[in-house]
Amino acid sequence: MSDHGSHEVAHRPAAGQELADPVADPGLPPHEPRLTDVDPKAADRAERQIAGMFGVATILVIAFVVLYLIVPRHSSFLNLGASNLALGVTLGGALTLIGAACIHWTRKLMSDHEIVQDRHFDRTTSESRDEAGETLKRAAVESALDRRKLLRRSLIGAMAALGLPVVILLADLGPLPGNKPAHTVWRRGVRIVNDVSNKPVRPEDIKLGQLVNALPANIEELKEGAEQHAAKAKAAVILVRMEEGDIRAMPNRRNWSVGGVMCYSKICTHVGCPTNLYERVTHHLLCPCHQSTFDLSDSGKVVFGPAARDLPQLPIMVDAEGYLVAQRDFTEPIGPSYWERG
Ligand code: FES
């Protein structure tokens, strides 16, 4: 232990003394030219290989566009989605070939002279920045792009073609939704059903302070699949019951509740999370995503958080058999705000 300690002390530099390099700089090994550096035929062959890869990539990108237009979206091939398969293979192949061509280009034709760059710890000087500019210019020359026209043109062709899928995929953004977001499947007389038991709900089924998640009964009439899921997501509601005296409804909403039972959209008006954290004493409904809080006793007003709009309320009544039904659809779009919303 003591030997080791004295060894360390012996190598510690005295104050003001520079720490010597512990290992001598071995320098660079001598540069070894590649076959393409010494044999013009090999260099031309490499250029043709690279240009071939860029060329095939360009063809694959064009094939992507054509297949996007002609392969039906829902057709299948080998139990896989034919459209996805065709688009994936062509675009994936094009990107792979462009990547491989760039690697081949770097290894065979770009300058491979080893350089040493010292590490700087301070802000670079203007000389260093000029030097960096010069280095970039030199790199442009050493990339061989200026003197190898076939390589340059095929690269430009492949990169330009790569923009086509981006443009063509914009078609998938449409069509515009029109006024669809403004409507749900709620209609006058549609029963409100419990979203677990699927049974219609009477006002007396809901206890004071209770919250029930519910859906419109007519959701079952829709074809199963995307259409039904979308309709469900928009029409989901919550039912709450409070003392009638606690309700501070706006004058035009006095007849929107039944015996203290009120119905609101379940979709938060901030960015659309489902809300159902109900605080029975304050009648506040909290969205778990970003803590927007709505006062259900006061027409769903926002009392806290980032939501910019009150929670839409569904006007309800009872039908001849005493079940809760909607008076009409929501009077405003549910969920987050969007540009076209009036
Ligand atoms: S989605 Fe409800 S607060 Fe953000």
Side-chain angles (χ1 to χ4, degrees), residues 268-273 275 287-292 294 306-307:
C268 180
T269 56
H270 178 219
V271 288
C273 284
T275 58
C287 175
C289 288
H290 316 99
Q291 284 72 53
S292 284
F294 306 91

Side-chain angles (χ1 to χ4, degrees), residues 205-252:
D205 294 337
I206 306 170
K207 297 191 198 76
L208 207 59
Q210 190 186 0
L211 178 147
V212 172
N213 291 299
L215 287 169
N218 60 352
I219 213 91
E220 292 301 318
E221 295 162 17
L222 298 174
K223 203 173 98 205
E224 260 191 53
E227 189 192 358
Q228 193 186 51
H229 287 147
K232 233 183 208 181
K234 283 169 64 184
V237 290
I238 50 162
L239 290 164
V240 287
R241 181 174 196 147
M242 61 186 76
E243 296 283 5
E244 283 188 74
D246 288 350
I247 298 176
R248 287 171 285 145
M250 290 191 274
N252 62 341

